[in-house]
Amino acid sequence: MATAGGGGGAISLGEELSACLLRSWLWLLCPPLSTCSLAGIGSLHREPGGSGHSKQALMLGSGRRRLLSTLLQVQKRPCQPCRNMRLVQFQAPHLEEPHVGLESGIGGGVVDLNTFDPALPKTMVQFLERGETALSVARRALAAQLPLIPRSQVTFLAPVTRPDKVICVGLNYADHCQEQNVRVPKNPIIFSKFSSSIVGPYDSIILPPESKEVDWEVEMAVVIGKKGKHIKATDVMAYVAGFTVAHDVSARDWQMRNGKQWLLGKTFDTFCPLGPALVTKDTIADPHNLKISCRVNGEIVQSSNTNQMVFKTEDLIAWVSQFVTLYPGDILLTGTPPGVGMFRKPPVFLKMNCRMNCSSLS
């Protein structure tokens, strides 16, 4: 349950939320091992005829017998979901400092990558800076089906903390432009948040006393995996580590005052919840065909699809990298769909005791 507390007020996220704030539901199932394939292999080693019983051929080599034994053991096991790469930063009571890990599916426990390989960095930015070297270790850990730290013992941090940059895009959904009755921009509208605005997926969002118009904006976020400048659109995905869900919390009164410079209204402390997982790009078939939604107090307030994005990931990164060098861990918030509180009639803003649930669905 989202509750508000003293001071400026806080919106905290409760565990009873079935999908949890900002959980990225980007997961795929591996197809079950085909029964026909197993039967086919078995039939290659069966003698025809007999007294109603199928016999294995006696002339199997030792290697073939081991292979058949392994396949039969696999056949006995129920097919498990194919665990795609869901990188997280977390804390646990038995750990002195945060670690990097793997979330074992939606709502699952965590594999501690730093225990699996103590040489790995303990922050996501440093992990991403290692590039393929670190990712290959994570893949080995994923394949090893290691013991999990129970979810009840884990505190999730944002999947990336203290990035060099948090870059945001305005008016990047055609239907969001429509609800404001404004033209679709010809070029990306870029603004920023400070990295101090980042909090974890279950942390409190502080309602600052300076603002009375705090609004919600669910967004897909892209995490940069490799340093680059002047990146061609055709090369962009080589520079992407993966995707997560973000919330571009916005103080509308401050966004529209002070010369209409958006920065102050966008970057109050706690105004950028992320996570919990950074889902690697290789597990997402098409980042521009994902359902994206936000609920406030159980009501769906935003519901769209990333196919409504005006500028896709490739266009955005190519555009931004003309002006700034991108570094591993940099976060790009790609814009929000319609349904924000500001443009409702009458406008609706977040209050104490609000509940929020934001998700991106494959």
Side-chain angles (χ1 to χ4, degrees), residues 46-290:
R46 295 181 187 275
E47 292 180 341
S51 58
H53 299 283
S54 298
K55 300 179 180 179
Q56 289 187 1
L58 299 177
M59 298 305 293
L60 288 175
S62 60
R64 291 186 179 182
R65 281 197 294 269
R66 286 196 298 270
L67 174 61
L68 179 60
S69 175
T70 300
L71 289 171
L72 291 174
Q73 289 299 315
V74 170
Q75 187 180 26
K76 293 177 183 178
R77 301 189 201 126
C79 180
Q80 300 295 323
C82 180
R83 299 180 300 165
N84 52 331
M85 192 83 74
R86 299 176 58 85
L87 295 166
V88 297
Q89 289 187 135
F90 72 98
Q91 291 178 308
H94 66 283
L95 301 176
E96 295 182 357
E97 57 187 334
H99 279 202
V100 174
L102 292 170
E103 184 187 24
S104 62
I106 304 300
V110 171
V111 173
D112 186 345
L113 289 178
N114 295 119
T115 297
F116 178 73
D117 186 344
L120 282 178
K122 294 181 180 178
T123 71
M124 191 67 71
V125 170
Q126 293 175 329
F127 179 94
L128 294 175
E129 287 173 344
R130 294 275 186 95
E132 184 56 35
T133 300
L135 288 171
S136 64
V137 174
R139 291 190 193 99
R140 292 202 304 273
L142 191 67
Q145 298 191 6
L146 300 169
L148 301 175
I149 303 174
R151 196 175 187 86
S152 60
Q153 299 178 19
V154 170
T155 299
F156 286 97
L157 309 176
V160 179
T161 47
R162 300 188 180 278
D164 186 72
K165 288 180 286 297
V166 181
I167 303 164
C168 307
V169 185
L171 299 176
N172 197 35
Y173 275 70
D175 42 10
H176 184 43
C177 295
Q178 183 178 3
E179 76 170 342
Q180 301 178 54
N181 196 27
V182 299
R183 293 181 178 179
V184 173
K186 294 181 178 180
N187 294 308
I189 297 175
I190 303 298
F191 61 98
S192 182
K193 289 177 177 279
F194 295 138
S195 63
S196 57
S197 66
I198 293 175
V199 291
Y202 309 107
D203 291 341
S204 297
I205 299 171
I206 304 300
L207 298 177
E210 294 83 4
S211 175
K212 303 301 181 185
E213 298 180 356
V214 178
D215 204 349
W216 56 83
E217 290 191 10
V218 62
E219 308 200 8
M220 180 182 76
V222 183
V223 181
I224 300 299
K226 186 171 70 171
K227 180 180 176 180
K229 182 74 182 293
H230 295 295
I231 303 170
K232 295 180 180 179
T234 53
D235 299 332
V236 157
M237 293 310 295
Y239 293 82
V240 170
F243 302 85
T244 190
V245 185
H247 200 113
D248 178 17
V249 183
S250 305
R252 300 300 190 189
D253 38 10
W254 279 97
Q255 183 181 354
M256 297 305 167
R257 69 175 70 162
N258 193 36
K260 295 187 178 180
Q261 298 181 73
W262 290 7
L263 177 65
L264 291 181
K266 295 284 191 173
T267 200
F268 279 96
D269 291 346
T270 75
F271 271 26
C272 189
L274 291 175
L278 189 172
V279 183
T280 54
K281 62 184 177 185
D282 55 320
T283 60
I284 300 176
D286 183 1
H288 305 115
N289 189 26
L290 303 174

Side-chain angles (χ1 to χ4, degrees), residues 305-326:
N305 192 294
T306 55
N307 62 22
Q308 288 289 305
M309 287 170 58
V310 178
F311 304 103
K312 310 303 184 187
T313 300
E314 293 83 354
D315 302 319
L316 293 173
I317 292 177
W319 175 264
V320 171
S321 70
Q322 296 178 91
F323 308 99
V324 297
T325 301
L326 298 176

